[in-house]
Amino acid sequence: MSDVLALDLSALKSAGIRALLLDIDNTLLPRDTSVFPPEFVDWLGGLPDAGLSAYLVSNNWHDHIFDRAAEVGLPIVAKALKPLPFGFLRAARALGLRMRQCAVVGDQVFTDVLGGNLAGATTVLVEPLSTSDLPHTLVLRRVERVIMAGRRPVAREAGAGEG
Ligand SMILES: [Mg+2]
């Protein structure tokens, strides 16, 4: 696994994906900082050229998360309560897209990937940017490691294998 910079945008586009629903914390923004790495800002800025829209979908409930979204000029659903699917559905609706045209990108199995799957999106798991997580996240990470042992999940396409 790796970070968002390693995403194959043209492959996603070819698979019918029109928008990325992006997690923020530890996916685009390392913990304990409020500054996006410049290479991620550039990457976000290049998404329209790749034919992809972007929407931030975050469980973060702090007011500053709206400032972060404004800094990169992207719309946001905050307090999304992932893995509940409603935040993803709201973002897709705002973009005028079906869920199967969206790829959820995030660093956590139990919020981003599970929630994206529940919503009917393609999901992409990336490596967390920081290892210093909140305590409750650390517990989930241990569970994730058990579940993910021997697997390298990268992307799952909604409806794959159903013809
Ligand atoms: Mg995250």
Side-chain angles (χ1 to χ4, degrees):
M1 286 189 285
S2 46
D3 62 32
V4 292
L5 302 182
L7 281 180
D8 188 340
L9 299 180
S10 56
L12 287 168
K13 190 79 199 310
S14 301
I17 298 303
R18 301 271 306 281
L20 304 182
L21 309 185
L22 294 152
D23 175 53
I24 298 178
D25 290 305
N26 252 346
T27 294
L28 294 173
L29 193 67
R31 285 240 187 263
D32 305 323
T33 173
S34 57
V35 181
F36 289 104
E39 63 269 32
F40 286 7
V41 176
D42 290 345
W43 178 82
L44 288 169
L47 290 177
D49 285 340
L52 293 165
S53 302
Y55 216 105
L56 301 171
V57 181
S58 173
N59 277 356
N60 199 309
W61 63 88
H62 297 105
D63 286 342
H64 77 80
I65 206 68
F66 295 101
D67 299 331
R68 299 290 85 74
E71 281 166 13
V72 289
L74 289 177
I76 180 172
V77 177
K79 307 176 193 171
L81 300 177
K82 298 178 280 186
L84 294 178
F86 308 115
F88 298 126
L89 296 170
R90 216 171 106 197
R93 198 181 319 125
L95 292 166
L97 297 174
R98 316 289 292 268
M99 281 314 306
R100 58 182 161 75
Q101 297 174 298
C102 298
V104 169
V105 180
D107 68 299
Q108 286 191 261
V109 169
F110 285 108
T111 55
D112 307 304
V113 174
L114 178 59
N117 286 342
L118 286 172
T122 291
T123 55
V124 181
L125 183 67
V126 295
E127 187 120 31
L129 294 177
S130 315
T131 48
S132 58
D133 267 323
L134 301 172
H136 70 270
T137 306
L138 283 175
V139 172
L140 287 178
R141 294 240 180 261
R142 273 185 220 116
V143 180
E144 285 175 6
R145 273 196 287 276
V146 171
I147 292 174
M148 291 304 165
R151 295 191 216 168
R152 291 177 56 104
V154 177
R156 166 199 171 272
E157 283 174 32
E162 291 168 13

